[in-house]
Amino acid sequence: MTVPNLLRPEEKIFVALDTDNMDEALRLADQLGDTIRTMKVGLQLFFKSGPVILDRLHERGFQVFMDCKFHDIPNTVAGASDSVTSHGVYMFNVHVGGGVEMMRRAKQAAVLRAEKLGIAVPKVIGVTQLTSTSQGVLNEEIGIPGDIRDCVLQYARLAQQAGLDGVVASGHEIQAIREACGPDFLTVIPGIRPTWAAANDQARIMTPTDALRAGADYLVIGRAITHAADPRAAALRILEEVQASEGAVQ
Ligand SMILES: O=c1ccn([C@@H]2O[C@H](COP(=O)(O)O)[C@@H](O)[C@H]2O)c(=O)[nH]1
């Protein structure tokens, strides 16, 4: 049975706490806590804070998306997936480029560890092509020929075949992934830029409103919120824009 995504916009936004300072990360989370439910912890913060950041966020009632992008041989990724699952994270990710067997082992390890601990199985998400990768970089540097959308789509199909719960992709690929993988396969979308924010190092960007209209399950937003003079006001502005556009569509 297909379950429509009935989450409210604020439940669909993951804020990327990209800082090397745990106190700053927690201050940001506290400022956003009455609106945002899920925080994304990446390698910069994790290597400075260690797993205690996950405990601190969980104590405050946040869900955590652990953005570790595992990419190694299947046995090593299975071990890492077991370890990250033991911290009770809501979601973690692996690179689809590691192959189907690697992804299958990641999911299997997450299921086994969660069952042993009696906790919810984390969503395991495959990273297709990074949103900082442009068409030119894909073809000329990485050496993958063809249209980037086709590549992302092929990776999404592989992730689904391996039993993953969804993929990280850009807003430009959401509709194609939906058509190919169905409505229950999650799309987690970084490279989100409101019209008033700079693109920075992102190549395949989309506004929050357009990404949600295209059917994104979750948006990952970092600097547009965290580097704003007032992060809470920036988050509320994004939510207002999304809600205004929802009203305009009805
Ligand atoms: O393809 C990808 C995968 C992950 N990310 C991560 O999302 C955030 C985006 O931050 P912004 O400041 O909004 O650009 C960041 O933590 C990345 O590591 C991504 O951007 N693209």
Side-chain angles (χ1 to χ4, degrees):
M1 193 184 77
T2 299
V3 182
N5 187 340
L6 296 176
L7 294 177
R8 287 173 290 131
E10 57 270 36
E11 296 171 309
K12 296 183 181 179
I13 293 179
F14 296 169
V15 173
L17 297 175
D18 289 329
T19 162
D20 62 4
N21 183 315
M22 183 164 80
D23 291 337
E24 189 190 324
L26 291 174
R27 249 194 320 274
L28 264 168
D30 287 339
Q31 280 178 57
L32 300 167
D34 60 341
T35 42
I36 305 294
R37 181 175 164 198
T38 307
M39 295 293 155
K40 185 179 85 71
V41 174
L43 298 177
Q44 182 189 19
L45 177 57
F46 192 74
F47 280 129
K48 272 291 167 79
S49 67
V52 71
I53 183 65
L54 308 178
D55 300 336
R56 295 288 100 86
L57 289 168
H58 285 144
E59 284 160 16
R60 286 165 162 77
F62 291 108
Q63 299 185 137
V64 176
F65 170 19
M66 183 65 220
D67 183 10
C68 35
K69 299 187 189 73
F70 296 140
H71 192 172
D72 209 317
I73 60 171
N75 188 57
T76 301
V77 166
S81 302
D82 176 280
S83 293
V84 73
T85 300
S86 68
H87 289 288
V89 299
Y90 172 70
M91 178 181 282
F92 73 91
N93 55 9
V94 301
H95 270 289
V96 176
V100 170
E101 178 59 12
M102 187 207 79
M103 291 188 277
R104 211 173 259 147
R105 293 280 305 275
K107 176 72 189 193
Q108 191 183 48
V111 170
L112 284 175
R113 176 55 56 193
E115 278 173 359
K116 275 194 191 138
L117 294 174
I119 59 175
V121 180
K123 312 259 181 244
V124 186
I125 303 294
V127 179
T128 57
Q129 287 297 338
L130 295 169
T131 49
S132 54
T133 300
S134 64
Q135 179 67 58
V137 166
L138 183 82
N139 298 150
E140 287 140 37
E141 285 180 22
I142 304 177
I144 297 179
D147 191 287
I148 198 160
R149 234 181 274 214
D150 294 337
C151 176
V152 169
L153 203 52
Q154 186 199 343
Y155 278 30
R157 288 195 175 103
L158 288 178
Q160 190 171 43
Q161 190 187 323
L164 298 200
D165 299 287
V167 283
V168 173
S170 90
H172 302 280
E173 296 106 32
I174 298 167
Q175 282 171 352
I177 294 169
R178 282 259 163 279
E179 281 162 26
C181 301
D184 298 334
F185 191 66
L186 299 174
T187 52
V188 180
I189 310 297
I192 295 297
R193 290 292 183 273
T195 49
W196 39 268
N200 314 110
D201 54 351
Q202 298 282 10
R204 305 192 331 277
I205 62 174
M206 191 172 268
T207 67
T209 301
D210 287 347
L212 289 174
R213 274 201 187 141
D217 288 297
Y218 298 109
L219 308 183
V220 176
I221 309 182
R223 287 163 286 187
I225 292 176
T226 58
H227 286 195
D230 182 342
R232 189 167 178 280
L236 292 176
R237 185 172 174 189
I238 289 171
L239 288 169
E240 275 165 22
E241 288 175 5
V242 166
Q243 277 149 5
S245 88
E246 279 177 350
V249 167
Q250 282 160 9

